Amino acid sequence: MHVDTLLHRFGDKIKGVLEGFDRFVFKGRLLPLCRAAGMAGYLYHQGVLNKDYKDWALNTSTAIVRDAEEYALSQRGSGVEYLSSCHIRKEALAHEQQTKSGVTSGLIGTYSCLESCSTFKAVYDKAAGFPQIRPTPSRCKHLYFYYDHEDYGFMSVRLQTWAPYEVQIAMNGREWLRRSLDKEGIPYILEGNKFLDIADYEAAQRLLNSQLNTRWVETLSGFMPAVFPSMPELLGEMSYTWTLWQSEWARDYIFHDPKVLSEQMKHMLRHAFITGTSDRVLRYMGHPVQKNGQPHWAADPELISRVALWHDGARIRHWVDKNSLKLYNEQNVLRFEFTMNNPSRFHIHRTVESSGSDAKKFLPMRKGIADINVRTQICSARINNLTEQMATLDENISVEELISKVTQPIISDGKRYRGLDVTGKDLPLLRAIADPKYIVDAITNKHLQGIFSGAVWANGLEGRKLSGRISRHLRLLRIHGVIKKLPNQHRYMLTAKGRLLTTALNQMLGVHLSDLSKIAA
């Protein structure tokens, strides 16, 4: 069981902690229609000639929009509102409409606009002698349905009105919790999607945890009869396959006093910049960076070192391979949030799809709903990495004591291993593994080869020889307890000891002589 060092550090300054889903977005696809061959087969069984595809598609889209118009009129007394630009923020519009209309439950509004999509068209094939169905990028009408649902709170459903009729359902775990608290009669103070106070934090956490027990297929498919009522008539027995396209998993530390939190954020920001070289700061700010640390050619090469202001607080963000980990404060809430867009970066033990076997292998995580629970565990573990890193800021252990623990030789399995030279030949490696991106991702030999290729530390080695040198040093770091190997993987994470050591080195090497003089005085 994970011990929350940051919670222990702040002690009675915190009145409660909440951890669970923030925003999460599902996508539904009709797999038989996702490929041109499947679409052509469907048209054949419907008796629709390929040459008549466009007329059929237009008629089908018109029917879907007409159904949406009738549904909106029956629920709210007003039809579908057409938006002239896809850049209009529909969520803000829905919130505004909810405030004006006073809707507390049910459909808030329905909107439509032209947006980019992947669809099909009939293209004449000279070899075949008749038109063939081909995939094509295009623009078509999309429908947006916004609800304040009695169970899930504020949410939306987006429907593409041209084949293959993709659906996107966006929900919010904190909104879901709001509705659950209302049903339980538990008082709370809410602003946006952050709870500033809750009368019973243990009960609130249990309600958040219960969201993971949802029967997702039934829940998500349950919205389709309302937004796509003609689906059975048009598509027969087809059903949607659902994936969790994007998720945000958040842990909130709710402080008694916003001023205390604001003061703590100053130390966290200083720590972030001491550990940040120019390329790392660029990553914090969301700018593209090449492997050599230089800005992408299409970016403005001027670097302005600053942390983004975030409402009444500040924000620090680390991102790697479309996944990001950030922390920010707003009023009395300190939030750590992991956004996962690319779950395949993480490997898990699971069965092989369509294998017919129950045997599990170590494979990339999928976006499918079958991996939701393990996905949340990985998100929580990454948040633990950052909270533990922040908890080292006020560690009372002296730098001398910390360094002495790793500079002495160690006997392991009858073999003697040298101590680390933390300010000499081992310093480049220690600074490399202290990169904040490894809070999001794991340390690998391959990553380190990219860092040290051509560097002085590599001693002119390349390829397998450089890989061997890195492997020997990683083993040394493991022996000293600085890093740990992930189960069944050639990937590593910093240990608590390693976080303390790298933090101490970054703080020590980042401080100015003028600051030391002030401390001595």
Side-chain angles (χ1 to χ4, degrees), residues 72-90:
L73 284 169
S74 67
Q75 296 296 308
R76 291 267 65 88
S78 58
V80 177
E81 180 181 345
Y82 176 73
L83 305 180
S84 59
S85 171
C86 62
H87 300 295
I88 295 174
R89 295 194 62 186
K90 293 88 175 171

Side-chain angles (χ1 to χ4, degrees), residues 253-272:
Y253 295 86
I254 303 168
F255 282 65
H256 288 284
D257 188 349
K259 293 181 180 178
V260 172
L261 173 56
S262 180
E263 189 63 31
Q264 291 295 332
M265 280 299 294
K266 294 178 183 177
H267 300 300
M268 294 182 186
L269 296 178
R270 179 176 179 274
H271 174 69

Side-chain angles (χ1 to χ4, degrees), residues 34-265:
C34 287
R35 295 188 176 186
M39 189 68 218
Y42 166 74
L43 292 173
Y44 175 79
H45 286 292
Q46 293 294 311
V48 179
L49 298 176
N50 288 354
K51 67 175 184 176
D52 298 326
Y53 168 74
K54 186 175 181 179
D55 290 338
W56 174 86
L58 283 170
N59 292 334
T60 303
S61 178
T62 300
I64 293 172
V65 174
R66 183 177 61 247
D67 289 341
E69 184 81 19
E70 293 176 358
Y71 174 62
L73 284 169
S74 67
Q75 296 296 308
R76 291 267 65 88
S78 58
V80 177
E81 180 181 345
Y82 176 73
L83 305 180
S84 59
S85 171
C86 62
H87 300 295
I88 295 174
R89 295 194 62 186
K90 293 88 175 171
E91 183 174 327
L93 196 63
H95 278 301
E96 182 181 346
Q97 185 165 337
Q98 182 178 20
T99 301
K100 289 180 179 178
S101 61
V103 175
T104 57
S105 182
L107 183 69
I108 297 171
T110 307
Y111 311 98
S112 72
C113 67
L114 289 176
E115 294 182 347
S116 299
C117 69
S118 295
T119 184
F120 305 98
K121 66 178 180 180
V123 179
Y124 181 74
D125 188 315
K126 181 182 280 188
F130 58 88
Q132 297 285 325
I133 300 299
R134 297 282 185 261
T136 183
S138 185
R139 287 168 60 83
C140 75
K141 185 172 288 189
H142 288 71
L143 296 170
Y144 285 82
F145 302 83
Y146 278 88
Y147 296 89
D148 195 331
H149 196 276
E150 61 179 359
D151 293 323
Y152 312 118
F154 189 87
M155 59 165 294
S156 66
V157 180
R158 174 183 184 261
L159 174 63
Q160 179 176 315
T161 64
W162 279 57
Y165 313 111
E166 286 194 354
V167 179
Q168 179 174 299
I169 298 180
M171 307 173 81
N172 188 289
R174 291 334 198 238
E175 275 290 307
W176 191 341
L177 176 60
R178 170 179 69 87
R179 282 298 195 180
S180 299
L181 291 172
D182 287 341
K183 292 177 182 179
E184 296 289 329
I186 299 174
Y188 58 85
I189 299 174
L190 178 71
E191 181 165 316
N193 70 333
K194 293 178 183 63
F195 288 90
L196 308 184
D197 193 20
I198 300 177
D200 189 337
Y201 284 96
E202 289 187 6
Q205 187 60 59
R206 285 196 301 272
L207 292 170
L208 271 176
N209 293 343
S210 68
Q211 294 175 5
L212 296 177
N213 300 324
T214 301
R215 300 175 69 90
W216 295 108
V217 173
E218 295 177 10
T219 298
L220 299 170
S221 298
F223 291 102
M224 302 317 298
V227 302
F228 195 178
S230 57
M231 179 180 165
E233 179 185 346
L234 291 173
L235 306 176
E237 298 298 319
M238 285 191 199
S239 60
Y240 279 94
T241 297
W242 298 97
T243 58
L244 182 51
W245 179 60
Q246 182 187 79
S247 65
E248 293 177 354
W249 185 263
R251 183 184 300 168
D252 293 343
Y253 295 86
I254 303 168
F255 282 65
H256 288 284
D257 188 349
K259 293 181 180 178
V260 172
L261 173 56
S262 180
E263 189 63 31
Q264 291 295 332
M265 280 299 294

Side-chain angles (χ1 to χ4, degrees), residues 3 24 127 162 209 226 272 283 312 316 367 398 435 458:
V3 177
F24 49 109
W162 279 57
N209 293 343
R283 290 191 184 101
D312 59 343
I316 304 167
K367 287 191 174 183
S398 69
D435 193 317

